[in-house]
Every structure is written in structure tokens, then in C-alpha cells.
Amino acid sequence: MDEMTEVRELRAHTPVPDRGRLAPGRARLTEAVRARERRALWRRREFAIVAVVAGVTAVAVAATLLVGGKGEGRAVQPAATQGVRFKGVSAAEFLRQAADAVQTQPDGTVPQAKQWIYTKSVQEPANEANKRVGDVENWIRYDGSASAFQLKHHPLEVTKMHLENGGEGDDRSPREMYRVLTALPADGKQTLKALREQDAIADSKDAAQARNDYSEISVLLSADVMPAKGLASLYRALALVPGGEVTGHLVDTAAGRRVIALNYFRGENSATGESIHDRWLIDPRTYRIVGTQIISAHGKVLGGDSIVTTAVVDKAGNRD
């Protein structure tokens, strides 16, 4: 069975693709990409597998480094932190260490409503087929009223939206996501309690509490604008959720970074029974998430997306 078939089967019961990331470029990119599904911003940001004419398995979701900006756009520069010690460390220990480091980082100014969040990313795995597709560039307005998408040699495609106040179902704007993050308690247990009470993602009756907790946390981990204290709260809450594992060595990403890999069980391939895992790619200097992968039980990268740069800009098409 080929990888594309395996990934499609894995996606059979997952939420549909992120509108803000995928929908804007769908019409323009038919020569290169055919989007498979739609999913909501507020739902868990599971990878959306798309079929590329060249036979590529591509994924278009990205967790960002962005912590704010105003006026002119700016790419966020990594802040120096203490050296990470991760070999032989449990996921819970690593996440607590990461939370302590992240919470001390200063936040930039929150974007204004009419500003855009720009993200440039590359697709995982780093193979020749993905390289032919090129970098993926996305813009989304902070108030959720529009988004844009562009691939190399294609014109910018802008789509109007209305994400706020339930205007498009489950979707939420970056501004609404930011407000949730800033309101999270500092304590991990209290954060879990708050997320369970909000129940933004309806709990699955067939899943254990830990799995439902992971779903709630994972969607927030992919927010476009991430306040330091909010990320620290999520890390502390995730430290209480069993099932995580830190890879004992740095991992290379398609964006050319060497990162810490934090793995969580995702599901099983219905045809082969092989387990599939989410892999969060974490910068060892900043402890911030700089990408995501789907990996097989044997560590093979099936898809994903890793960040090159992010910035706050004044209009779609701007990059700095």
C-alpha cells in the first residue's frame, strides 16, 4: 500500500482542513495542488493531506513563532534561552522546563485588527517532489476577515471571510484565539479545568479523557499569535497529559532547522494497524513550536509543515 493511501485512511475520521490556511489558494493552485478537505480554525489542527499533480503528499498547517508586531512588519527573532537538556528526559519534565523558559520571554505588541499575519513554510518531508512545489506563503488578517495564499510562480489569491463571533461556524479568528490564550490560568491543572469547561472541541465519548485533553490543547498550540504566558500554560497542561515522548536527539526539518521532537500518538492506520504519531517541532533556543510532522511508528515522515519565517504586515502580499 502506498503512503498516500495510508494517509487518506488515517484521515477518515479527522476534522476537515483549516479554512484560513487552505481555502484561499484552492482555485489558483489547481495546477499544483488539489485540497482534500476543509477544517475549522477552532477545531484541532490536524494535518490536511492534499494531492499534488507531481504526486506529492503535502501538508499545509503551521504552528508559528509569532508573538506580535505593529506598524511595519517584523519577523520574530529567536530569544536566547538556557540550553535544553532533553536526552532521557520525559515529556512531562521537558514541558515543565519549556514552560519555565517560555514564560520569561517578552511579548511583542499585539497586531492591530486590520494587520495581517504572514507565514512562510516548507512542506515535510524534505524530498525532491516537495521542493518542486516550493515554499508555501500564507496571510491571514488578525480580525479574521480575509486570508491569502500564494505558491511560487502563482499570483496572490485573497479570500474574504467572517471568522469572528461564529460568523462561519466553528472557525475563529487569530484575535479570538489570542484572547483565549491570554485568559488561561498559569497552573497546568487549572488550565486543563478551564479547557474542559469551555469544551471548544466536543469530547469524544469513545476517547479517554487524556485524548480529549490533548485535542483541546493541540488546537491552541497552533494559534497564529502566541503570547508567552499562554504557551507556558499550554505546556504545563500538556505535561499532565500522558502519552508524550521526547526524541533523544535533534531532528532536521525541511526548513533547515535542528529541533527537539515531541511525539504524541495520533491514531492507527485502519488497513495496516500501524500507529501514527503527531510530532511537534520545537526550537531548542526558544522552546517555541516551529513546525509539525506526521510520522509512522518507525519514524518515517509522512507529511508536515515547518516554518521558515513569520511577520506582522500591513497588507496581504507583504513579507516584512
Side-chain angles (χ1 to χ4, degrees):
M1 180 174 293
D2 60 29
E3 292 175 11
M4 195 65 188
T5 301
E6 292 180 3
V7 176
R8 283 180 182 140
E9 291 177 351
L10 174 65
R11 291 258 328 144
H13 303 292
T14 56
V16 289
D18 171 22
R19 186 184 187 94
R21 292 297 186 204
L22 298 183
R26 192 168 290 146
R28 179 61 61 185
L29 301 175
T30 51
E31 297 179 17
V33 176
R34 180 166 57 85
R36 298 297 301 174
E37 300 173 276
R38 176 188 177 277
R39 73 172 169 76
L41 274 167
W42 187 250
R43 289 182 173 183
R44 183 182 176 197
R45 293 197 172 195
E46 308 240 3
F47 294 110
I49 307 303
V50 298
V52 179
V53 170
V56 180
T57 299
V59 180
V61 67
T64 73
L65 286 170
L66 197 63
V67 294
K70 66 176 181 178
E72 71 284 354
R74 70 177 178 85
V76 175
Q77 298 299 319
T81 62
Q82 61 182 353
V84 138
R85 298 186 299 274
F86 60 91
K87 189 170 184 178
V89 173
S90 70
E93 291 172 321
F94 167 74
L95 286 163
R96 288 192 292 266
Q97 180 182 352
D100 290 344
V102 164
Q103 71 176 3
T104 65
Q105 296 175 6
D107 283 340
T109 304
V110 178
Q112 298 173 12
K114 295 182 179 181
Q115 288 186 302
W116 296 71
I117 301 161
Y118 165 66
T119 303
K120 180 179 180 180
S121 60
V122 294
Q123 297 164 356
E124 300 276 359
N127 55 30
E128 288 303 317
N130 278 341
K131 288 178 182 178
R132 287 196 294 271
V133 174
D135 296 337
V136 179
E137 295 183 290
N138 294 283
W139 292 259
I140 186 167
R141 237 174 74 144
Y142 187 58
D143 63 4
S145 63
S147 61
F149 186 92
Q150 187 171 34
L151 281 186
K152 184 171 60 176
H153 305 313
H154 289 267
L156 180 73
E157 187 78 17
V158 180
T159 298
K160 292 184 178 180
M161 302 185 298
H162 181 68
L163 298 183
E164 296 202 331
N165 303 314
E168 297 195 29
D170 290 332
D171 290 3
R172 295 294 184 272
S173 71
R175 178 166 60 183
E176 288 176 317
M177 297 280 279
Y178 181 82
R179 288 169 178 167
V180 171
L181 288 162
T182 56
L184 290 177
D187 178 74
K189 290 183 180 179
Q190 292 302 312
T191 293
L192 277 182
K193 180 181 178 181
L195 294 177
R196 290 170 183 173
E197 290 174 350
Q198 292 176 24
D199 198 24
I201 306 170
D203 287 347
S204 171
K205 296 180 180 179
D206 298 327
Q209 182 64 59
R211 185 62 186 173
N212 288 324
D213 289 339
Y214 175 73
S215 295
E216 296 280 357
I217 294 168
S218 62
V219 66
L220 289 171
L221 284 175
S222 62
D224 293 282
V225 183
M226 181 65 74
K229 290 183 179 178
L231 180 57
S233 296
L234 293 178
Y235 280 166
R236 291 191 178 101
L238 189 56
L240 301 174
V241 178
E245 181 181 358
V246 179
T247 301
H249 55 84
L250 292 178
V251 172
D252 293 320
T253 75
R257 299 178 186 268
R258 289 185 60 78
V259 300
I260 298 166
L262 178 64
N263 305 325
Y264 280 86
F265 176 72
R266 176 189 180 90
E268 292 182 351
N269 184 300
S270 59
T272 66
E274 182 182 31
S275 62
I276 307 296
H277 296 261
D278 290 336
R279 171 176 281 177
W280 299 91
L281 308 176
I282 300 175
D283 190 300
R285 296 172 297 166
T286 66
Y287 291 93
R288 287 184 174 267
I289 296 168
V290 293
T292 43
Q293 294 175 343
I294 298 173
I295 62 171
S296 71
H298 304 294
K300 183 177 182 179
V301 179
L302 303 177
D305 188 287
S306 55
I307 295 297
V308 176
T309 188
T310 62
V312 174
V313 298
D314 289 333
K315 65 179 182 179
N318 286 4
R319 294 170 175 80
D320 52 36

